[in-house]
């Protein structure tokens, strides 16, 4: 059985989710509505800086480069750091750019059946084997939608 995972957004959290799902043998697809990674950092004005020192805004497995000396790096330095993280761990091939998730539906067990389960369906898995997720994604450049 293919173990695919959909991740919405290629910001810090989405990239971390991608990295850790890969490490556990899943096949992630990161849907990113914009044409680049970075989440909110891809959309902030250039004068925006970290609110915390960079030591508190650091990936545990990827240090800030020595060239970033300021305690509160500006937007461009933060974006470069996030981009270098994604490149270092080979995450970019899993990102589907210009792909905005506009709907998610689950087809599978009935709601009545799911409500009868105590926890995780009693099988150790969150959903039964018959179900399937359908994700509607809009191409933000062509404005077309696919499921």
């Amino acid at each position: 059985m293919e173990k695919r995972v959909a991740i919405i957004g290629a910001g810090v959290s989405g990239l971390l989710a991608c990295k850790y799902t890969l490490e556990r043998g899943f096949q992630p697809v990161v849907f990113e509505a914009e044409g680049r990674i970075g989440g909110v950092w891809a959309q902030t004005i250039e004068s925006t800086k970290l609110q915390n020192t960079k030591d508190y805004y650091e990936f545990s497995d990827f240090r800030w480069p020595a060239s970033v000396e300021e305690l509160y790096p500006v937007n461009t330095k933060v974006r470069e750091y996030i981009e270098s993280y994604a490149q270092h761990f080979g995450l970019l091939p899993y990102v589907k750019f210009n792909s905005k998730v506009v709907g998610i539906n689950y087809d599978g067990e009935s709601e009545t059946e799911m409500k009868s389960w105590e926890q995780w369906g009693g099988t150790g898995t969150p959903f039964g084997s018959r179900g399937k997720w359908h994700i509607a994604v809009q191409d933000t450049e062509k404005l077309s939608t696919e499921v």
Side-chain angles (χ1 to χ4, degrees), residues 3 5 7 15-30 89-94:
K3 300 187 301 184
V5 174
I7 299 167
L15 294 173
L16 285 167
C18 181
K19 179 182 179 286
Y20 288 106
T21 55
L22 278 168
E23 288 176 355
R24 283 155 182 78
F26 291 89
Q27 292 300 311
V29 176
V30 182
F89 289 106
L91 305 179
L92 294 177
Y94 300 95

Side-chain angles (χ1 to χ4, degrees), residues 14-144:
L15 294 173
L16 285 167
C18 181
K19 179 182 179 286
Y20 288 106
T21 55
L22 278 168
E23 288 176 355
R24 283 155 182 78
F26 291 89
Q27 292 300 311
V29 176
V30 182
F31 295 102
E32 173 53 52
E34 302 296 325
R36 64 181 180 185
I37 64 170
V40 297
W41 289 103
Q43 301 174 31
T44 58
I45 59 174
E46 198 167 315
S47 62
T48 303
K49 294 183 175 189
L50 282 178
Q51 293 177 314
N52 299 319
T53 62
K54 67 181 180 188
D55 295 336
Y56 289 105
Y57 197 85
E58 179 175 79
F59 296 105
S60 61
D61 53 358
F62 192 74
R63 308 249 335 139
W64 280 88
S67 61
V68 178
E69 296 178 355
E70 46 286 52
L71 280 177
Y72 301 93
V74 294
N75 152 301
T76 53
K77 298 285 186 183
V78 176
R79 276 198 339 257
E80 289 170 4
Y81 174 62
I82 294 168
E83 289 167 2
S84 63
Y85 177 86
Q87 290 171 355
H88 178 78
F89 289 106
L91 305 179
L92 294 177
Y94 300 95
V95 179
K96 191 169 182 183
F97 292 102
N98 302 307
S99 299
K100 180 180 180 180
V101 174
V102 294
I104 301 174
N105 290 307
Y106 179 71
D107 289 332
E109 292 77 3
S110 69
E111 189 172 338
T112 304
E113 184 178 348
M114 285 191 280
K115 285 181 178 178
S116 72
W117 298 343
E118 288 190 25
Q119 186 176 24
W120 299 110
T123 63
T125 59
F127 296 96
S129 61
R130 297 186 308 244
K132 184 172 182 169
W133 288 97
H134 299 279
I135 302 173
V137 179
Q138 180 184 53
D139 182 315
T140 58
E141 289 184 323
K142 299 176 187 170
L143 298 178
S144 61

